[in-house]
């Protein structure tokens, strides 16, 4: 119970990685606010945590007035925000030559501007408290040039840099700010964005030869939410089965067999 009675906000928590993080933080004693554009989904996710364990609220992270209303609801009810997991996001898999300005703006507005709006609104509350933990969910796609990841990757790379600036400026208020960069994680978003050849390529190129699970991201989020990570600041923790670390590999017949399917 490392997070006993901590008030934790998770955006995009109705499903996928966000919901898995909510479950793990709740298991450590935190009280969860699950905020999602899918209000019904947020309420059901909060109810699934158990009685008095969570609150489901609606938010569109790309809309500043919606973000302000969400933060007011939390502060009115609980008086504080101890942990923010900035997780809401949309996928994207469009080749550079085909990205429309509309798709570009939508992706940046949710995945980068949305994360900024939520982080700023929460950090203002945390600064008054003199403490807080902010975890931004970035992506391996913000570190490597994946095909089709022009808008998505640019937004996530921007989020990594924003995290460093926030860490520098918010240290004096006792706020830790870090990233988790997931690799390929088995969620609805991955099902939408990864076709069969993409999945085969990931399974070949990831040293651990498999997709990660939302629960494995949640384990990292618990650590970065806890006192055990208090001297970790402005860091990006990759949870990617070794994908970032890997160079050209020569492996056994099983992996090469998978490569044959490409
Ligand atoms: P997911 O299953 O699609 O869940 C994302 C949640 O965010 C959904 O409930 C979605 O609602 C909500 N959402 C979308 N737009 C929103 C908005 N404007 N305001 C508030 N909520 C919004 O995605 P996931 O795979 O769990 O991904 C979670 C995070 O991890 C994202 O930031 C993603 O970029 C990142 N990530 C995922 C992977 C992966 O392989 N899955 C890898 C790297 C990084 P709706 O369903 O109603 O749209």
């Amino acid at each position: 119970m490392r997070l006993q009675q901590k008030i934790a906000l998770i955006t995009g928590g109705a499903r996928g990685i966000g919901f898995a993080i909510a479950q793990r933080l709740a298991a450590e004693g935190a009280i969860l606010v699950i905020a999602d554009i899918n209000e019904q989904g947020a309420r059901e996710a909060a109810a699934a945590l158990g009685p008095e364990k969570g609150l489901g609220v609606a938010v569109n992270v790309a809309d500043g007035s919606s973000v302000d209303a969400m933060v007011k609801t939390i502060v009115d009810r609980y008086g504080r925000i101890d942990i923010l997991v900035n997780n809401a996001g949309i996928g994207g898999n469009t080749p550079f030559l085909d990205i429309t300005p509309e798709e570009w703006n939508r992706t940046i507005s949710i995945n980068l501007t949305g994360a900024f709006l939520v982080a700023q609104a929460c950090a203002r509350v945390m600064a008054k408290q003199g403490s807080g933990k902010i975890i931004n969910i970035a992506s391996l796609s913000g570190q490597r040039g994946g095909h089709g990841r022009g808008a998505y990757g640019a937004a996530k790379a921007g989020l990594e840099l924003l995290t460093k600036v926030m860490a520098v400026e918010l240290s004096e208020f006792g706020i830790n700010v870090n990233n988790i960069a997931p690799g390929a994680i088995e969620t609805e978003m991955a099902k939408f964005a990864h076709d069969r050849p993409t999945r085969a390529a990931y399974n070949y190129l990831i040293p651990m030869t498999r997709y990660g699970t939302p629960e494995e991201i949640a384990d990292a989020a618990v650590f970065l939410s806890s006192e055990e990570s208090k001297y970790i600041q402005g860091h990006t923790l990759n949870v990617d089965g070794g994908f970032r670390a890997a160079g050209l590999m020569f492996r056994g017949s099983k992996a090469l067999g998978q490569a044959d399917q490409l």
Side-chain angles (χ1 to χ4, degrees):
M1 299 296 264
R2 284 175 285 176
L3 306 174
Q4 193 73 40
Q5 295 302 310
K6 298 283 185 195
I7 306 301
L9 165 63
I10 303 191
T11 64
R15 68 178 196 184
I17 290 171
F19 182 56
I21 294 173
Q23 288 178 301
R24 284 287 281 114
L25 297 193
E28 294 287 344
I31 295 163
L32 272 298
V33 179
I34 294 182
D36 203 287
I37 200 155
N38 175 358
E39 184 173 8
Q40 178 70 14
R43 290 213 176 120
E44 287 170 9
L49 298 177
E52 308 297 316
K53 290 297 275 180
L55 175 71
V57 299
V59 73
N60 176 2
V61 296
D63 175 350
S65 55
S66 174
V67 170
D68 289 344
M70 168 188 71
V71 169
K72 184 173 182 315
T73 300
I74 300 167
V75 172
D76 285 351
R77 181 161 178 145
Y78 298 111
R80 57 189 296 114
I81 300 173
D82 298 303
I83 299 162
L84 162 65
V85 183
N86 226 343
N87 166 78
I90 57 170
N93 200 14
T94 308
F96 172 73
L97 291 177
D98 299 330
I99 299 172
T100 62
E102 291 73 25
E103 181 180 352
W104 174 270
N105 288 335
R106 180 171 145 72
T107 306
I108 299 293
S109 74
I110 296 172
N111 291 4
L112 181 56
T113 308
F116 156 71
L117 291 170
V118 176
Q120 187 187 58
C122 290
R124 285 174 173 160
V125 176
M126 291 172 175
K128 283 188 197 143
Q129 296 165 187
S131 66
K133 296 273 191 179
I134 297 177
I135 300 156
N136 292 321
I137 306 297
S139 174
L140 194 91
S141 296
Q143 303 169 351
R144 302 184 69 176
H147 192 279
R149 295 293 203 271
Y152 181 83
K156 294 296 188 179
L159 184 56
E160 267 204 39
L161 193 279
L162 179 63
T163 300
K164 291 177 185 163
V165 175
M166 288 168 60
V168 168
E169 294 190 14
L170 299 179
S171 285
E172 67 176 292
F173 300 106
I175 302 171
N176 285 118
V177 192
N178 293 291
N179 288 309
I180 293 173
I185 307 300
E186 200 65 85
T187 68
E188 292 303 313
M189 180 184 283
K191 282 178 197 148
F192 159 76
H194 299 185
D195 58 15
R196 247 183 112 243
T198 302
R199 298 183 79 85
Y202 268 126
N203 286 331
Y204 175 62
L205 292 169
I206 294 168
M208 292 179 72
T209 67
R210 66 170 175 85
Y211 277 48
T213 65
E215 291 71 27
E216 286 166 329
I217 304 300
D219 288 337
V222 169
F223 170 62
L224 290 177
S225 299
S226 74
E227 279 304 290
E228 288 154 26
S229 60
K230 62 177 176 291
Y231 199 59
I232 299 177
Q233 184 70 311
H235 183 72
T236 296
L237 177 55
N238 273 50
V239 184
D240 64 2
F243 186 49
R244 175 88 196 273
L248 181 62
M249 294 178 292
F250 296 92
R251 295 190 300 176
S253 55
K254 181 169 170 255
L256 289 171
Q258 288 171 351
D260 289 344
Q261 296 167 18
L262 299 183

